[in-house]
Amino acid sequence: MTSEQHAVRGSAAGPASRARPPAVPHEQPTDFRTLMAGFPTGVTIVTTCGADGVPRGMTLTSLCSVSLEPPVLLVCMRQGSPTLDAVLEGGSFAVNLLHLRARATAELFASGAPDRFERVAWQADDPAAGPHLSEAAHTVADCTVTAHHVVGDHVVIMGGVTAVSRLGGDQHPLLYGLRRFATWPETDDHLSYDFIS
């Protein structure tokens, strides 16, 4: 018998019975928010047009790449959002990636102000999947809804990317984390690879 076998057989707490770390209880949402606040990410505005032709949009940071072939991304939107309802009804949406000078636009679309589209520049020419925020975004992805899943108080939406438009101007992204806005620091440390999986 090897020393490894002896250790396993001789221990009452083998690998299968080791204590697992406690799960985060539902009674501590503040701790979970603190966790996510420590994960800075880009700021986006998801836009679409309802069946009535009225543009709708909301600010969010829950954007993630899912697949390169075919190109698919996901966004998470809170249940009860009129923008979410319009996205699911129409089956398409645009993801506007905001640049560093678009903080005011991010805050406007997070406020739910009913006149927000009257206070920003946007275009929604065919075949755009939703309004492109021409002065606030540096890049826009047009997407078609391929699937959606209800998870807690949010809905995860899978979007097949049909087009990507670079709007020019400042390409430094607007970031959010630690409960404040920021942007990418100036650096010459460019990697020869990326971490996208």
Side-chain angles (χ1 to χ4, degrees), residues 8-123:
V8 171
R9 293 185 182 182
S11 172
S17 61
R18 289 176 184 160
R20 296 179 179 177
V24 177
H26 293 297
E27 296 78 18
Q28 298 180 0
T30 301
D31 292 341
F32 182 67
R33 291 180 179 179
T34 299
L35 168 71
M36 298 313 300
F39 185 68
T41 185
V43 184
T44 71
I45 294 178
V46 168
T47 58
T48 190
C49 285
D52 53 6
V54 175
R56 290 179 171 83
M58 63 184 295
T59 301
L60 57 82
T61 57
S62 51
L63 166 69
C64 179
S65 63
V66 177
S67 169
L68 288 174
E69 293 294 339
V72 177
L73 56 76
L74 70 77
V75 295
C76 299
M77 306 174 72
R78 62 176 176 78
Q79 291 201 63
S81 163
T83 301
L84 169 63
D85 294 341
V87 166
L88 295 180
E89 181 180 9
S92 63
F93 60 96
V95 177
N96 293 264
L97 305 184
L98 304 189
H99 57 64
L100 67 88
R101 299 187 310 279
R103 172 177 175 172
T105 304
E107 293 175 329
L108 173 64
F109 276 75
S111 73
D115 64 341
R116 52 192 179 275
F117 278 96
E118 299 174 15
R119 297 161 60 181
V120 298
W122 59 276
Q123 299 175 337

Side-chain angles (χ1 to χ4, degrees), residues 115-164:
D115 64 341
R116 52 192 179 275
F117 278 96
E118 299 174 15
R119 297 161 60 181
V120 298
W122 59 276
Q123 299 175 337
D125 301 326
D126 287 336
H132 290 195
L133 304 182
S134 54
E135 294 182 358
H138 62 79
T139 308
V140 181
D142 290 302
C143 305
T144 298
V145 176
T146 60
H148 69 280
H149 310 278
V150 177
V151 181
D153 54 7
H154 278 62
V155 177
V156 180
I157 301 174
M158 301 290 180
V161 179
T162 59
V164 175

